[in-house]
Amino acid sequence: MNAVEIEEAISRLAEQPFVPAEFPYAFLEAFGNKATTINRLKSGNTNKTDIEGAVLQYNNIHIATCSAGKVAEMLEKLRNSPATSRQKAKFILVTDGEEFQAEDIASGETVACTYQEFPDHFGFFLPLAGISTVKQISENAFDIRATSRLNRLYVELLKDNPDWGSAHRRPDMNHFMARLIFCFFAEDTDIFNGTGLFTDTIAQMSAKDSSNTHEVIGEIFRAMNTKIEDRAAAKLPRWADAFPYVNGGLFSGSTETPRFSKIARSYLLHVGSLDWKKINPDIFGSMIQAVAEDEERGALGMHYTSVPNILKVLNPLFLDDLCAKLEEAGDNPRTLLNLRKRMARIRVFDPACGSGNFLVIAYKEMRAIEAEINKRRGEADILTEIPLTNFRGIELRDFPAEIARLALIIAEYQCDVLYRGQKLALMEFLPLETQNWITCGNALRLDWLSVCPSTGTGVKLYSDDLFNTPLEQAQIDFENEGGETYICGNPPYIGRRNQSKEQKDEIKNLLSKKIKSSASLDYVFCWIEKASEYVTQSCGEFAFVTTNSVSQGTQIPIYWPYLLSKGLEINFAHRSFKWSNNASDNAGVTCVILGIGLPRSRKLIFDGDQQTEVKFINPYLLPSEVQVVETRNAPLSPIGKMRYGNLPGDGNHLTLNRQERDTLLAITPALQRIILPLYGAQEFIRGLQRYCLWIDDSDLELALGNEFIQKRIEKVRQTRLDSPDPSYNALIGRPHQFRDRNIAENITIIAPTICSENRKYLPTATYQGKTGTTNQVYALYDAPLWNMALIASRLHLVWIATVCGKLKTDFRYSNTLGWNTFPVPTLTEKNKADLTRCAEDILLAREEHFPATIAELYDPEKMPENLRHAHERNDEVLERIYIGRRFKNDTERLEKLFELYIKMTATKGKIS
Ligand SMILES: C[S@@+](CC[C@H](N)C(=O)[O-])C[C@H]1O[C@@H](n2cnc3c(N)ncnc32)[C@H](O)[C@@H]1O
């Protein structure tokens, strides 16, 4: 369960009649305990309490109900109960149905409220549901509650008005929700006269059976779309006339309102009773947009981008600089004024803005800086010079686009209240701006320079009815001579396999004429490309959050040389980090942040909390001059030659299972010579047994002497003949053989083509004697054993992860890109002997666990101690060869490898 669902569940519980004996179980159920867990508690099996009638769940909570007025007394009893500490309860909780008290045992924090109010404290109990981002959630408790309530209303309205759920009417439904949200906010913040005007009017004027709720709301909306001077003619009912003129596009067009059932009406009144002053437009916007998406509704926006993550983008992009300038300015009024003027011309542009969270945060942060300037200049309450219209966005979906604009409007009002006071804030708030600065459309088909021109002349579009104007067009253009533009956001990443046909076409349109193999790129490169075009034409910079796939592996040689050729550089970067959010699964993706523009003198790499100033940042996000590691046909270092295993091209007719092989050998032992064990990925990792017919021409007669083998060879011939692939047809002359013929006489060292990211080491293995390999593996044929020590090392794994990248969550191995480029210092005979010993020790350690498979041995949870130790030793020996000691971390490993790579390619040439 996520936080919104929990909030919903406990709100429902608080609305129901209080049943003392049932309350503890219902409470635990609301926090996600399964029916079986509850049943076991009820039967007493897992109820560890030592107080009659109470419920104690191990390592969780001790709950009791009591008679009226005895709450404090009972809480004391729970606190002192030996079972509470013995069973490691984290919370104690008591209620009599009137009063509610609880305590967090570790922190001593308490909650004391009425029973009806306890859902307000849902954040306090979230650790019970295993949700660890409790602090963030408690800070956003209002947004979670509001989302949960609006979600209930939305679902109920769709039930009552199924046609409003159709693709055609959905935008009306979404628009209706946006209007509601505005009204709830306005009635709690004095934008409407008095407090609660909207909700109270509906409660009073609409019938309790809900039959005319839609009409009442429709009239209120009509009022908000009618200018004061037109009111008399509009013949509004007196109660609707109390509402101000708002429009700004929000109340234009149809005032049609969905019909309300009694339940929907009560939900509406319930949402209205919340204190909307507390809304965080950034968080709330991201959450509420999920309500309108059927497939997203389950997650209820808990995947939203957290504010600290957004600041990781905005701070180094431009906010840090503004703060530094503020600091430098001190109290100098002229310098402060210049800074304020500069800020008034800064545009922030998010070309995949969703509900505008990056824009809202940027706006709020800039207003805070401006407020400080104004304070220092003694002008605390002057009107802001930062126009909301400088915070521009493009968003594909209509609801988030609408919410983005609303979120910015709310943010502006809140900032005005905060910095200038309620009275002044109100004076300028209504009617709303009639310009639209959030464009609803496809960012990849729009000209960004016209949506957000760096300089410009006048406004192209003013309208009272922005929702009936085609939005997919460049609409506004404000004077911004000498201004700066910062592009930011979190555009859709979408790897090649998950792209729709249109998305693939968009990549093709945008990139195929500029670079080769553009079809292999993630969708997000389109935003990187458009942003880089933008900043080369205007003075600006951009920073995006993206998956770390853009800074690893095969995408780098495809795109980055082109970007760098424009004279742009990576000015700051956040290395891989988990993009955490408030989802209860909180898996997140691994992301990086790239800040790109014309070269800055100070470049910064962020790694967790650490910040390092560097001279270069390359596309692998390392402080190295190496821009791109390119594939090589031969190893850069004096190491073995690695080739693919063998493509059989045999329709599986040259492969045998264990039984087939045993039967053949039982009849004709001489066939031993032409039946070899066969290793592909599964055989090598999972220990499966497979064999192949490996027939040299000189053994053909022996093979054809066996009827079974003869038939198999004939089937291969037929398969190749029937194949539509001419390269297979060309092989019919030697149907007794795999297409490829790579084989060792003595030793085969195998490397995987892919490897799970969870493993600490790349799995590798050696096989003695003649051994068949398939194209599911790479192999070194008759190379010295010390080569295995290299493949098995942490150094090699980090090189592969960085240079070859990933396929989904697996490392993708490549001989040409990963092995042939791997920089190894010149190895002395002693080094080689030491590494050989290390490889032998790894093999011996595995041997002790025979018949455990590689998959079992390298399971990160279960890796045997002796094997772990053998690998540690291997890393120790190899790393000493590189730098005379162990590396401190993977970053240091990579930095050294890239340094060596530069040296070695300088002497050997970049590509061979
Ligand atoms: C990862 S979300 C980020 C939104 C927001 N910043 C957040 O953190 O929630 C990406 C957004 O890009 C929008 N989007 C996807 N393709 C788009 C396109 N071609 N043009 C404009 N927006 C697009 C999606 O609808 C989504 O709102």
Side-chain angles (χ1 to χ4, degrees):
M1 276 173 112
N2 66 38
V4 177
E5 288 165 328
I6 290 169
E7 198 281 335
E8 264 181 33
I10 60 170
S11 292
R12 244 179 262 128
L13 174 61
E15 284 161 15
Q16 279 155 23
F18 175 66
V19 184
E22 276 305 310
F23 175 81
Y25 304 111
F27 185 86
L28 288 168
E29 203 177 340
F31 278 88
N33 280 277
K34 297 209 175 79
T36 44
T37 315
I38 302 284
N39 285 341
R40 271 194 280 143
L41 274 170
K42 278 187 178 168
S43 68
N45 283 347
T46 48
N47 183 356
K48 304 290 181 193
T49 188
D50 50 3
I51 293 174
E52 204 185 326
V55 175
L56 170 53
Q57 194 178 33
Y58 172 73
N59 203 19
N60 222 15
I61 188 166
H62 203 170
I63 310 178
T65 53
C66 61
S67 45
K70 301 275 186 210
V71 171
E73 206 178 297
M74 182 55 103
L75 197 72
E76 183 68 16
K77 228 170 154 182
L78 291 188
R79 202 179 288 122
N80 297 330
S81 124
T84 298
S85 55
R86 203 173 44 235
Q87 298 296 326
K88 302 193 170 118
K90 292 182 189 132
F91 295 93
I92 49 176
L93 184 171
V94 180
T95 180
D96 57 2
E98 295 286 328
E99 231 186 300
F100 181 102
Q101 288 196 28
E103 188 173 313
D104 178 332
I105 307 259
S107 67
E109 238 181 284
T110 54
V111 164
C113 59
T114 65
Y115 181 77
Q116 271 71 29
E117 282 168 356
F118 88 80
D120 294 346
H121 301 277
F122 73 98
F124 182 80
F125 296 106
L126 284 178
L128 292 177
I131 293 177
S132 53
T133 45
V134 177
K135 186 168 166 286
Q136 276 179 36
I137 289 188
S138 333
E139 280 166 7
N140 306 327
F142 173 83
D143 307 291
I144 290 172
R145 305 200 76 192
T147 305
S148 125
R149 306 266 159 112
L150 281 169
N151 183 53
R152 275 162 92 180
L153 175 62
Y154 194 93
V155 172
E156 196 59 34
L157 285 175
L158 284 185
K159 247 195 255 164
D160 303 335
N161 305 270
D163 55 321
W164 285 65
S166 66
H168 164 65
R169 296 296 316 266
R170 211 29 110 78
D172 295 337
M173 180 70 185
N174 296 341
H175 191 42
F176 173 70
M177 291 305 278
R179 287 172 171 177
L180 281 188
I181 293 165
F182 176 83
C183 292
F184 291 136
F185 175 71
E187 70 174 353
D188 285 350
T189 46
D190 292 341
I191 292 170
F192 293 164
N193 256 341
T195 304
L197 181 68
F198 180 67
T199 309
D200 289 350
T201 306
I202 296 169
Q204 282 158 19
M205 302 317 301
S206 71
K208 287 220 164 50
D209 67 1
S210 78
S211 54
N212 67 343
T213 311
H214 62 293
E215 288 164 9
V216 171
I217 297 175
E219 285 299 274
I220 296 175
F221 286 175
R222 192 159 71 88
M224 289 193 266
N225 191 30
T226 309
K227 292 190 178 141
I228 302 302
E229 58 269 31
D230 301 334
R231 290 274 167 115
K235 297 206 167 53
L236 287 163
R238 189 186 296 273
W239 45 264
D241 204 18
F243 287 84
Y245 171 64
V246 175
N247 198 347
L250 192 57
F251 291 93
S252 57
S254 163
T255 51
E256 201 193 339
T257 301
R259 287 184 155 269
F260 279 64
S261 64
K262 264 166 89 175
I263 299 180
R265 180 177 177 274
S266 80
Y267 283 169
L268 178 91
L269 300 180
H270 207 148
V271 191
S273 70
L274 293 174
D275 182 3
W276 283 78
K277 263 198 290 302
K278 296 181 186 158
I279 188 173
N280 281 306
D282 42 349
I283 303 298
F284 175 73
S286 308
M287 295 187 69
I288 192 66
Q289 58 170 308
V291 166
E293 304 276 327
D294 293 336
E295 61 280 12
E296 275 287 304
R297 198 172 304 127
L300 281 170
M302 295 312 280
H303 295 292
Y304 69 80
T305 311
S306 66
V307 176
N309 275 340
I310 294 175
L311 288 173
K312 279 187 188 157
V313 176
L314 299 178
N315 280 342
L317 183 62
F318 69 103
L319 290 175
D320 283 346
D321 181 55
L322 294 181
C323 290
K325 293 289 182 308
L326 178 66
E327 177 83 25
E328 275 167 35
D331 288 327
N332 182 320
R334 177 130 296 279
T335 325
L336 287 167
L337 184 66
N338 286 341
L339 181 58
R340 193 170 76 198
K341 282 191 181 151
R342 176 185 160 200
M343 286 184 20
R345 290 199 306 268
I346 287 182
R347 283 201 179 137
V348 185
F349 173 38
D350 181 346
C353 70
S355 50
N357 49 1
F358 281 71
L359 299 176
V360 170
I361 299 288
Y363 179 77
K364 287 208 243 175
E365 294 292 316
M366 285 177 66
R367 284 292 302 265
I369 298 172
E370 187 194 44
E372 181 58 30
I373 294 176
N374 292 346
K375 198 168 97 195
R376 289 189 200 172
R377 283 176 51 87
E379 303 169 323
D381 54 8
I382 63 164
L383 187 64
T384 179
E385 288 182 7
I386 300 174
L388 211 51
T389 45
N390 267 0
F391 296 76
R392 307 220 178 155
I394 305 178
E395 169 54 46
L396 193 59
R397 297 169 298 151
D398 66 306
F399 190 47
E402 200 159 324
I403 294 291
R405 204 163 71 92
L406 193 54
L408 279 163
I409 290 170
I410 291 176
E412 183 185 46
Y413 182 75
Q414 286 181 333
C415 288
D416 276 343
V417 172
L418 181 64
Y419 300 122
R420 306 175 56 224
Q422 179 92 348
K423 206 167 136 222
L424 289 175
L426 275 174
M427 269 166 53
E428 281 109 21
F429 188 67
L430 290 179
L432 298 181
E433 273 279 357
T434 52
Q435 302 145 348
N436 189 14
W437 61 96
I438 303 290
T439 303
C440 181
N442 185 334
L444 303 182
R445 293 175 192 259
L446 286 165
D447 174 9
W448 291 9
L449 272 167
S450 83
V451 172
C452 182
S454 47
T455 59
T457 50
V459 177
K460 280 191 192 148
L461 185 107
Y462 275 108
S463 170
D464 261 3
D465 189 358
L466 294 167
F467 294 95
N468 282 337
T469 2
L471 289 175
E472 198 167 317
Q473 59 177 21
Q475 292 177 351
I476 41 168
D477 195 349
F478 302 93
E479 194 121 30
N480 197 35
E481 218 62 54
E484 302 153 49
T485 304
Y486 297 101
I487 302 176
C488 61
N490 177 4
Y493 318 129
I494 319 185
R496 182 162 60 125
R497 276 152 224 273
N498 297 323
Q499 289 158 6
S500 66
K501 160 99 178 55
E502 287 98 75
Q503 288 165 340
K504 282 186 194 299
D505 286 347
E506 275 152 11
I507 297 178
K508 192 169 164 203
N509 287 342
L510 203 63
L511 285 161
S512 66
K513 293 204 183 79
K514 299 176 179 170
I515 52 172
K516 282 191 198 147
S517 311
S518 60
S520 306
L521 293 175
D522 291 354
Y523 193 42
V524 71
F525 275 105
C526 293
W527 272 262
I528 298 180
E529 170 58 13
K530 285 204 61 127
S532 70
E533 287 293 300
Y534 185 103
V535 300
T536 44
Q537 288 173 50
S538 66
C539 181
E541 275 198 87
F542 68 95
F544 288 139
V545 180
T546 83
T547 36
N548 60 354
S549 55
V550 302
S551 62
Q552 290 175 348
T554 47
Q555 309 213 42
I556 290 195
I558 296 176
Y559 180 72
W560 282 94
Y562 174 68
L563 181 134
L564 298 171
S565 74
K566 299 179 192 190
L568 302 176
E569 287 181 10
I570 302 178
N571 285 325
F572 67 89
H574 269 270
R575 289 220 183 99
S576 294
F577 63 98
K578 287 270 183 224
W579 188 248
S580 60
N581 50 44
N582 286 342
S584 51
D585 54 7
N586 211 2
V589 276
T590 305
C591 285
V592 294
I593 292 169
L594 304 168
I596 296 173
L598 292 171
R600 281 190 197 175
S601 55
R602 237 181 126 235
K603 295 190 178 345
L604 291 173
I605 290 184
F606 299 88
D607 215 338
D609 294 336
Q610 245 186 15
Q611 166 184 329
T612 321
E613 195 173 330
V614 293
K615 280 209 188 107
F616 312 97
I617 304 178
N618 73 8
Y620 302 93
L621 310 191
L622 290 164
S624 164
E625 282 170 277
V626 178
Q627 293 187 339
V628 170
V629 175
E630 309 238 27
T631 54
R632 305 179 71 92
N633 293 330
L636 177 65
S637 315
I639 54 181
K641 188 163 170 50
M642 184 182 285
R643 281 174 283 175
Y644 246 127
N646 300 297
L647 182 92
D650 66 338
N652 272 336
H653 298 303
L654 292 176
T655 53
L656 304 172
N657 62 30
R658 175 75 190 248
Q659 201 190 352
E660 288 163 341
R661 172 239 189 204
D662 288 351
T663 314
L664 282 172
L665 291 187
I667 299 166
T668 320
L671 292 175
Q672 175 108 33
R673 207 166 68 230
I674 60 169
I675 301 179
L676 304 183
L678 180 66
Y679 289 94
Q682 290 305 311
E683 291 75 22
F684 136 67
I685 304 266
R686 310 218 165 275
L688 308 180
Q689 285 184 327
R690 218 154 51 113
Y691 299 86
C692 66
L693 292 166
W694 191 268
I695 306 168
D696 291 335
D697 290 342
S698 54
D699 283 328
L700 187 55
E701 207 175 306
L702 169 70
L704 291 175
N706 180 292
E707 200 186 327
F708 176 86
I709 298 178
Q710 191 197 353
K711 278 192 189 146
R712 285 293 190 95
I713 294 175
E714 176 48 28
K715 282 185 185 156
V716 178
R717 204 185 66 80
Q718 202 56 48
T719 307
R720 289 180 181 172
L721 192 65
D722 295 344
S723 168
D725 183 341
S727 68
Y728 282 95
N729 308 147
L731 297 172
I732 52 170
R734 51 179 187 93
H736 54 292
Q737 291 175 339
F738 279 15
R739 186 196 74 178
D740 304 322
R741 300 277 295 153
N742 298 315
I743 195 139
E745 286 300 320
N746 300 310
I747 179 173
T748 309
I749 302 174
I750 282 190
T753 48
I754 53 169
C755 160
S756 155
E757 69 166 347
N758 295 329
R759 294 202 181 107
K760 227 178 140 206
Y761 301 97
L762 289 172
T764 168
T766 60
Y767 300 102
Q768 301 296 327
K770 279 182 121 179
T771 306
T773 54
T774 76
N775 56 331
Q776 299 299 313
V777 291
Y778 290 99
L780 295 155
Y781 301 98
D782 284 330
L785 186 59
W786 54 261
N787 284 278
M788 180 191 145
L790 300 182
I791 301 173
S793 67
R794 179 87 198 152
L795 267 167
H796 196 51
L797 178 90
V798 297
W799 181 255
I800 294 295
T802 306
V803 170
C804 299
K806 279 190 192 163
L807 200 65
K808 291 194 182 152
T809 53
D810 293 335
F811 295 125
R812 180 210 305 251
Y813 199 89
S814 155
N815 58 343
T816 51
L817 189 56
W819 177 256
N820 290 350
T821 58
F822 186 51
V824 182
T826 308
L827 298 175
T828 63
E829 287 311 311
K830 164 93 173 54
N831 294 153
K832 289 179 186 170
D834 290 346
L835 290 172
T836 306
R837 178 70 195 275
C838 289
E840 283 166 356
D841 286 347
I842 291 173
L843 294 171
L844 285 171
R846 289 183 193 168
E847 199 59 29
E848 280 180 36
H849 302 279
F850 180 82
T853 62
I854 295 270
E856 289 158 351
L857 290 169
Y858 285 84
D859 178 335
E861 303 291 313
K862 300 182 197 146
M863 191 169 175
E865 208 36 57
N866 65 333
L867 182 58
R868 198 184 294 276
H869 184 74
H871 273 281
E872 283 289 321
R873 176 91 196 113
N874 183 44
D875 284 337
E876 167 103 38
V877 168
L878 184 63
E879 294 183 6
R880 281 188 180 281
I881 295 173
Y882 276 76
I883 56 164
R885 60 166 170 83
R886 285 300 301 264
F887 285 100
K888 289 194 205 100
N889 50 39
D890 288 343
T891 308
E892 202 191 4
R893 286 187 180 92
L894 281 169
E895 285 175 16
K896 181 69 197 175
L897 287 168
F898 272 87
E899 183 194 312
L900 208 55
Y901 180 85
I902 294 186
K903 280 195 196 133
M904 295 179 75
T905 46
T907 50
K908 263 209 152 184
K910 278 218 157 92
I911 303 169
S912 76

